[in-house]
Amino acid sequence: FPRGGGGGGGEVRLPGQDEPDSTYEFTSRDLLQAMQANARELKRTTQLLTRRDRAALAAGDDPSPSPDSREEEEEAAPEAAVRVRLPDGCMLQGRFGAEEAASALHVFVAETLQEGAPAFDLKTTVGSTHRGVIDPSQGGTLNSMGLAPRGIVNLRWRDDGRHGKDVVRLDTPQQPLDPN
């Protein structure tokens, strides 16, 4: 197409006119990069993450371990995947270092609740080595409480009220857990 105005005779090339088709091919490397970006975005938007995991994702690292077997995972137990069951059945899930203090679990839960949410206690379930309410002021690690490599704790409202998902922050990613 000739340019208007003046004596210069330049052209504007439309995409694809003189470029080879290979310029627009989607290579296996492009596919791999797109898949990794999608996986990071999915993890960022659908999984509750601890502060450490959010920092790792922001840096482009994968915060989740990929153990070959349960036995290997239990031996090393570098991380603890802990689910917190709210009284209405809603579950929160976070990943922590196995040697993190129990107070990190309390902080994680508090960060996912709305401002002004009632006070709560976390209580271990059958199968953990620590029985009863987790007191963050008494120390102890998630590993020492039997919550690594994975564990479940129950949340109990101190005011004995019936609070549901309405106390969970609206920006908290929510995804139904697969029962299988």
Side-chain angles (χ1 to χ4, degrees):
F1 299 100
R3 279 191 185 157
E11 290 184 355
V12 175
R13 295 181 188 253
L14 297 175
Q17 279 185 325
D18 291 325
E19 291 85 10
D21 288 340
S22 63
T23 303
Y24 300 103
E25 287 179 1
F26 200 67
T27 66
S28 59
R29 182 178 178 178
D30 296 331
L31 178 62
L32 181 61
Q33 288 174 341
M35 288 173 54
Q36 289 171 339
N38 285 344
R40 281 192 304 273
E41 181 64 15
L42 181 66
K43 185 170 280 191
R44 185 186 69 77
T45 59
T46 61
Q47 184 179 24
L48 293 173
L49 301 173
T50 62
R51 191 173 294 137
R52 180 178 53 87
D53 286 346
R54 287 192 300 265
L57 268 179
D61 297 335
D62 183 11
S64 61
S66 55
D68 293 335
S69 68
R70 181 170 170 81
E71 293 82 27
E72 181 181 312
E73 182 179 342
E74 286 176 350
E75 281 179 23
E79 296 206 356
V82 182
R83 287 185 176 178
V84 179
R85 185 181 308 140
L86 275 62
D88 69 346
C90 181
M91 292 276 237
L92 305 175
Q93 180 172 316
R95 290 190 179 277
F96 305 87
E99 297 304 318
E100 282 191 64
S103 60
L105 182 58
H106 274 266
V107 169
F108 169 72
V109 172
E111 287 178 348
T112 62
L113 299 177
Q114 299 262 4
E115 243 181 79
F120 63 89
D121 288 318
L122 298 176
K123 187 174 181 186
T124 56
T125 59
V126 175
S128 64
T129 55
H130 172 84
R131 295 299 311 245
V133 175
I134 299 171
D135 184 355
S137 66
Q138 288 188 348
T141 65
L142 297 174
N143 194 25
S144 69
M145 293 183 180
L147 297 174
R150 62 185 62 82
I152 298 176
V153 297
N154 293 314
L155 181 142
R156 183 183 70 197
W157 302 114
R158 287 187 187 157
D159 67 2
D160 293 327
R162 300 222 179 255
H163 308 283
K165 292 180 187 174
D166 58 316
V167 296
V168 177
R169 282 192 356 224
L170 297 177
D171 63 341
T172 300
Q174 296 181 23
Q175 179 178 354
L177 294 174
D178 185 7
N180 296 328

